[in-house]
């Protein structure tokens, strides 16, 4: 009997050992973060030492695009593996489990749980805010995580007397809705530790540093730089207001984007910023919040590096979409141009000695199948994305994919290596040659010389929307 008991114990240890050989996953999602990060070179003034340090040992995807330039559809698509055109989730009010046929969707963390992982999350991962008068609460999809800290909008608010101290008076410019209430910035008299993003990072750090018999999948959502741009004052002090560089813009840039393109733009906000000479202030506020988000990420990464799991944890860091700060007279996201569709993505796999930069076109929809692939889980063949493991092995490997970004039914944009193609429900088209026009200033869709290119994109779009 004793001999059988010893054999049983040995077998149990073998199985536990096999489970622990699976790599852990740390997924970090940063809300509204465009490529104004040092390692991504979108803004040379950005101070982001922690992300930059992680990037040095990672594969950095310089041309990564979201499936939708809005929180809920972007996060839903990445975490379910299905494009907005598949689920029908295009806005912030839809819930994918209420969409016909998607009630029992297996989300990314659920798939890892089904395959032997423990799962935990903190901060904004899924987006399930329904609006209303109260501050929206950002939690999760019930059942997607075994352990979760649900935080609120991510930061300590200043006293009421300090709110809107920049004096934009947006109502006078016809600005309505949530943007009117949230387009504000202020350096708060708070410590890092008092802010919810820091608490989310600490929660995930504490979870990682527990003893784990199973491999873990941990997701940390950082709310900043989402509006309002409130962050501890020391992050504002990192940037000299007089030295702030403004985005490169073109006068009358909206002349060739059509009726629906013009309707997407928050022109009232831009006019208010210009009339009150607050453009530099707003840019500094966004950069300050990026730096604060970076500090929270640093707290989490430092804790991981000191843990027993540092050499067996894959780290994925991403934004959920980009953000405009005056380009095309727009402030915010939810449009189909480059600044809103492009967002940082980097992947660190400690087993992979390769590091560097890939300029191939990838999408956040590819994250789900990629993590399955990297962790050796069974393939899930119904996903809309494609594993980018080949680019992690060699950033310059052959790759000819096109990224799809959607805003609504019949309102989509495709990004290839050299072009962006966009079509609206009224049939209006935009085409930009990124080889010579990275700012998308000149719509060349009406040039008959580009008809072959347009036909190619129309065909690709039709195939992707099946």
């Amino acid at each position: 009997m004793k001999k059988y008991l010893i054999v049983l114990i040995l077998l149990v240890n073998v199985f536990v050992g096999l489970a622990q050989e699976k790599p852990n996953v740390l997924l970090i999602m940063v809300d509204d973060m465009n490529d104004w990060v040092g390692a991504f070179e979108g803004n040379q003034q950005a101070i982001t030492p922690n992300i930059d340090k992680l990037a040095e040992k990672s594969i950095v995807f310089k041309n990564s695009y979201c499936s939708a330039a809005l929180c809920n559809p972007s996060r839903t698509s990445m975490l379910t593996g299905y494009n907005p055109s598949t689920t029908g989730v295009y806005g912030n009010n839809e819930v994918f489990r209420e969409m016909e046929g998607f009630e029992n969707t297996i989300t990314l963390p659920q798939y890892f749980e089904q395959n032997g992982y423990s799962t935990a999350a903190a901060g904004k991962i899924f987006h399930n805010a329904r609006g209303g008068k109260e501050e929206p609460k950002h939690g999760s999809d019930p059942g997607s995580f075994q352990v979760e800290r649900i935080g609120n909008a991510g930061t300590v608010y200043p006293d009421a007397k300090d709110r809107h101290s920049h004096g934009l008076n947006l109502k006078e410019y016809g600005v309505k809705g949530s943007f009117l209430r949230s387009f504000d910035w202020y350096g708060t008299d708070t410590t890092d530790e008092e802010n919810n993003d820091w608490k989310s990072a600490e929660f995930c750090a504490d979870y990682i540093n527990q003893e784990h018999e199973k491999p873990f999948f941990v997701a940390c959502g950082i709310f900043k730089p989402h509006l309002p741009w409130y962050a501890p004052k020391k992050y504002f002090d990192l940037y000299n207001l007089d030295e702030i560089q403004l985005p490169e813009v073109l006068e009358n840039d909206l002349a060739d984007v059509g009726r629906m393109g013009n309707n997407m733009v928050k022109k009232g906000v831009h006019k208010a910023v210009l009339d009150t000479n607050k453009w530099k202030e707003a840019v500094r506020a966004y950069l300050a919040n990026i730096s604060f988000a970076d500090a929270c990420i640093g707290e989490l990464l430092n804790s991981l590096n000191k843990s027993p799991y540092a050499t067996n944890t894959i780290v994925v860091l991403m934004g959920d979409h980009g953000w405009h700060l005056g380009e095309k007279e727009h402030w915010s996201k939810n449009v189909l141009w480059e600044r809103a569709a492009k967002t940082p993505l980097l992947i660190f796999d400690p087993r992979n000695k390769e590091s560097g930069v890939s300029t191939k076109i990838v999408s956040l929809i590819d994250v789900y199948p990629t993590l399955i692939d990297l962790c050796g889980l069974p393939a899930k063949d119904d996903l809309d994305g494609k594993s980018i493991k080949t680019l992690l092995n060699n950033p310059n490997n052959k790759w000819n994919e096109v990224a799809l970004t959607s805003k609504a039914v019949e309102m989509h944009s495709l990004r290839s290596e050299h072009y962006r193609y966009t079509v609206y429900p009224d049939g209006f088209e935009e085409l930009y040659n990124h080889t010579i026009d990275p700012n998308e200033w000149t719509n060349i869709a009406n040039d008959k010389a580009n008809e072959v290119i347009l036909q190619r994109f129309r065909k690709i779009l039709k195939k992707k929307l099946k």
Side-chain angles (χ1 to χ4, degrees):
M1 175 65 80
K2 185 176 181 181
K3 182 166 66 173
Y4 288 118
L5 183 61
I6 292 172
V7 171
L8 181 61
I9 292 171
L10 287 173
L11 286 172
V12 169
N13 287 336
V14 167
F15 283 119
V16 170
L18 287 173
Q20 291 175 336
E21 284 177 8
K22 289 283 188 185
N24 307 301
V25 175
L26 172 59
L27 173 69
I28 305 172
M29 298 183 70
V30 187
D31 207 334
D32 286 8
M33 180 172 68
N34 65 19
D35 63 359
W36 285 19
V37 177
F40 290 85
E41 300 179 327
N43 187 313
Q44 298 296 331
Q45 294 184 294
I47 301 172
T48 53
N50 297 293
I51 298 176
D52 297 347
K53 185 177 180 180
L54 176 63
E56 289 175 0
K57 59 182 183 179
S58 306
I59 300 297
V60 173
F61 293 93
K62 283 286 187 74
N63 290 311
S64 171
Y65 297 89
C66 60
S67 298
L70 190 64
C71 294
N72 186 43
S74 175
R75 291 163 182 268
T76 294
S77 64
M78 194 280 288
L79 291 160
T80 64
Y82 306 130
N83 283 318
S85 55
T86 301
T87 62
V89 175
Y90 288 102
N92 273 348
N93 289 325
E94 297 102 331
V95 177
F96 71 91
R97 294 206 186 274
E98 297 176 0
M99 309 300 283
E100 185 177 355
F102 295 94
E103 299 88 347
N104 299 313
T105 296
I106 305 301
T107 63
L108 174 59
Q110 283 178 318
Y111 196 73
F112 272 78
E113 181 185 348
Q114 288 183 356
N115 286 279
Y117 279 68
S118 61
T119 63
K124 182 179 175 182
I125 302 300
F126 288 87
H127 177 104
N128 60 2
R130 292 285 195 156
K133 293 182 179 180
E134 296 183 1
E135 180 190 338
K137 304 296 180 184
H138 296 93
S140 182
D141 167 55
S144 269
F145 293 100
Q146 296 164 311
V147 178
E148 185 171 14
R149 176 189 184 271
I150 298 176
N152 61 15
T155 196
V156 175
Y157 284 71
D159 294 336
K161 64 182 176 63
D162 294 321
R163 297 193 65 181
H164 305 291
S165 59
H166 48 71
L168 284 176
N169 298 320
L170 293 179
K171 279 186 179 179
E172 296 180 6
Y173 292 87
V175 180
K176 302 176 182 178
S178 61
F179 210 80
L180 174 67
R181 299 189 299 274
S182 61
F183 191 60
D184 191 28
W185 55 85
Y186 190 76
T188 61
D189 186 21
T190 59
T191 64
D192 290 344
E193 293 77 8
E194 291 177 278
N195 290 269
N196 275 293
D197 279 339
W198 191 273
K199 292 175 183 177
S200 293
E202 282 188 326
F203 179 92
C204 291
D206 290 344
Y207 182 86
I208 288 171
N209 276 278
Q210 296 173 15
E211 285 191 23
H212 298 278
E213 292 185 356
K214 295 180 177 181
F216 57 75
F217 181 104
V218 176
C220 182
I222 303 298
F223 189 77
K224 295 303 170 184
H226 193 288
L227 288 170
W229 292 324
Y230 300 144
K233 184 177 179 295
K234 66 181 181 180
Y235 295 101
F236 283 74
D237 292 341
L238 291 175
Y239 300 93
N240 186 327
L241 183 62
D242 294 333
E243 296 176 358
I244 289 293
Q245 298 171 13
L246 299 178
E248 204 174 5
V249 296
L250 177 71
E251 190 175 354
N252 297 320
D253 191 11
L254 299 173
D256 58 359
V257 303
R259 176 181 62 85
M260 299 191 79
N262 271 272
N263 288 343
M264 292 191 302
V265 175
K266 296 190 183 300
K267 296 179 183 177
V269 176
H270 189 60
K271 191 172 191 312
V273 169
L274 291 181
D275 288 352
T276 55
N277 195 29
K278 299 291 183 179
W279 201 345
K280 283 191 174 185
E281 275 192 35
V283 167
R284 179 182 65 171
Y286 183 82
L287 286 168
N289 279 255
I290 286 274
S291 293
F292 171 61
D294 177 80
C296 296
I297 292 166
E299 170 71 7
L300 176 55
L301 293 177
N302 288 338
S303 185
L304 169 64
N305 291 335
K306 294 175 184 176
S307 78
Y309 309 103
T311 59
N312 193 33
T313 300
I314 295 169
V315 180
V316 180
L317 185 143
M318 69 178 76
D320 55 352
H321 45 67
W323 224 86
H324 283 242
L325 288 104
E327 303 94 338
K328 289 192 181 296
E329 301 179 33
H330 185 55
W331 291 80
S332 192
K333 53 233 179 178
N334 205 20
V335 293
L336 291 173
W337 297 302
E338 184 82 356
R339 296 304 304 148
K342 189 175 187 179
T343 191
L345 172 66
L346 64 78
I347 299 177
F348 167 66
D349 185 341
R351 303 165 302 174
N352 186 358
K353 303 308 177 185
E354 189 75 37
S355 64
V357 174
S358 176
T359 58
K360 304 296 183 180
I361 302 295
V362 299
S363 170
L364 298 187
I365 200 75
D366 300 326
V367 171
Y368 195 151
T370 300
L371 285 175
I372 287 177
D373 199 1
L374 290 177
C375 295
L377 306 189
K380 198 169 186 298
D381 297 329
D382 64 330
L383 303 178
D384 288 334
K386 181 178 179 180
S387 173
I388 58 176
K389 183 178 178 181
T390 182
L391 297 178
L392 292 171
N393 296 332
N394 181 354
N396 296 313
N397 265 342
K398 185 177 179 181
W399 184 267
N400 296 312
E401 296 299 311
V402 173
L404 169 66
T405 302
S406 302
K407 178 173 167 61
V409 176
E410 299 182 342
M411 201 167 182
H412 309 281
S413 188
L414 293 171
R415 180 67 157 87
S416 70
E417 182 180 1
H418 299 298
Y419 292 93
R420 173 175 296 284
Y421 166 78
T422 301
V423 62
Y424 296 90
D426 61 2
F428 187 86
E429 295 175 306
E430 295 176 32
L431 183 67
Y432 301 101
N433 185 344
H434 270 259
T435 304
I436 59 175
D437 184 20
N439 293 307
E440 299 182 341
W441 285 342
T442 306
N443 179 10
I444 57 175
N446 287 330
D447 188 337
K448 292 183 179 180
N450 296 314
E451 184 60 30
V452 172
I453 298 171
L454 289 171
Q455 290 286 1
R456 174 176 169 268
F457 276 116
R458 291 166 190 155
K459 185 177 180 179
I460 294 172
L461 181 61
K462 187 175 181 180
K463 184 177 180 181
K464 279 188 174 286
L465 297 179
K466 281 186 178 180

